[in-house]
Amino acid sequence: MLTKTHIYPPFYVTIAQSAIITAMKTKSLQPLRGFNDRYPEDMSILNAIFDTVKSVALLCGFQQYDGPIVEPLELYVGKTSREILEEQAFTLPDKNGNTLMLRPEVTPSLARMIAAKSQVLPMPVRYFNIGLRYRYEAPQRGRNREFYQLDFDIIGSDSLIADIEILNVAVQIFLKLGGTEKD
């Protein structure tokens, strides 16, 4: 049996059990304010939503992409709002003295990725992303510091039809998730 008094657990105690003991000794068993624990039942719901989003996106001709969760702060300068940079950014130094930022949005990463392969990508690109974002905002009902966001982008087209296609994807997702025209 595991107890809080074990300083060095016996060899048969797994690393996970050891981590549980350590966690039990901490002051709080809650995640940081504005962040979430996602137990299997929560992940089941999220995965069902994400699967629906992915199926609609793929049917509408979008491809899924992702970028790093941490990027150099410079990537966001001039590409995101001053409020996000100065008040809502989660930043950290790397070992070389550079400032890194947990992504508050994915558009600058996407722009970097497109620029890196602009010579070989067939335009327009139709990309979507489902990912975690981080903003140091005051947590409140329905708004956390860590959150999932969906992004749909058509890059390389200045047609109004591209905007209509993105709106259509949003409507199709809403309907597929059980929404109705009356909602």
Side-chain angles (χ1 to χ4, degrees):
M1 177 164 177
L2 298 176
T3 66
K4 292 182 185 180
T5 58
H6 284 100
I7 295 174
Y8 297 102
F11 71 93
Y12 59 86
V13 176
T14 66
I15 293 172
Q17 289 169 320
S18 179
I20 291 168
I21 292 168
T22 302
M24 290 169 54
K25 293 178 183 178
T26 63
K27 293 183 181 189
S28 174
L29 295 177
Q30 300 301 313
L32 293 173
R33 186 170 181 243
F35 290 81
N36 303 300
D37 288 329
R38 291 181 186 86
Y39 289 93
E41 56 272 15
D42 302 320
M43 288 307 302
S44 177
I45 294 167
L46 278 175
N47 285 329
I49 293 168
F50 295 162
D51 289 346
T52 299
V53 169
K54 288 177 189 178
S55 69
V56 171
L58 295 172
L59 282 172
C60 292
F62 286 82
Q63 296 177 299
Q64 188 171 11
Y65 77 96
D66 202 5
I69 204 157
V70 177
E71 291 271 20
L73 179 67
E74 295 81 37
L75 182 66
Y76 292 93
V77 175
K79 296 173 190 79
T80 194
S81 73
R82 174 175 262 160
E83 178 184 13
I84 289 175
L85 283 172
E86 294 176 3
E87 298 172 22
Q88 298 178 357
F90 278 98
T91 59
L92 58 141
D94 71 7
K95 292 181 180 183
N96 296 320
N98 301 310
T99 301
L100 305 177
M101 186 169 164
L102 289 176
R103 67 178 176 199
E105 59 183 335
V106 77
T107 303
S109 296
L110 174 60
R112 177 186 53 71
M113 291 169 65
I114 297 293
K117 293 201 171 200
S118 63
Q119 301 301 318
V120 296
L121 286 174
M123 294 294 176
V125 296
R126 303 165 61 84
Y127 284 175
F128 79 99
N129 175 269
I130 302 171
L132 282 168
R133 311 291 190 263
Y134 300 89
R135 292 191 184 170
Y136 199 91
E137 298 180 299
Q140 51 191 296
R141 183 175 167 88
R143 182 176 222 149
N144 285 320
R145 292 177 173 166
E146 172 190 62
F147 57 94
Y148 283 98
Q149 182 170 307
L150 308 174
D151 287 270
F152 288 85
D153 295 282
I154 299 176
I155 298 173
S157 172
D158 57 3
S159 170
L160 183 59
I161 293 172
D163 292 332
I164 294 169
E165 287 184 73
I166 289 177
L167 289 173
N168 178 57
V169 171
V171 169
Q172 296 306 313
I173 290 169
F174 178 74
L175 293 173
K176 189 96 171 184
L177 289 172
T180 66
E181 292 180 18
K182 293 180 182 181
D183 294 330

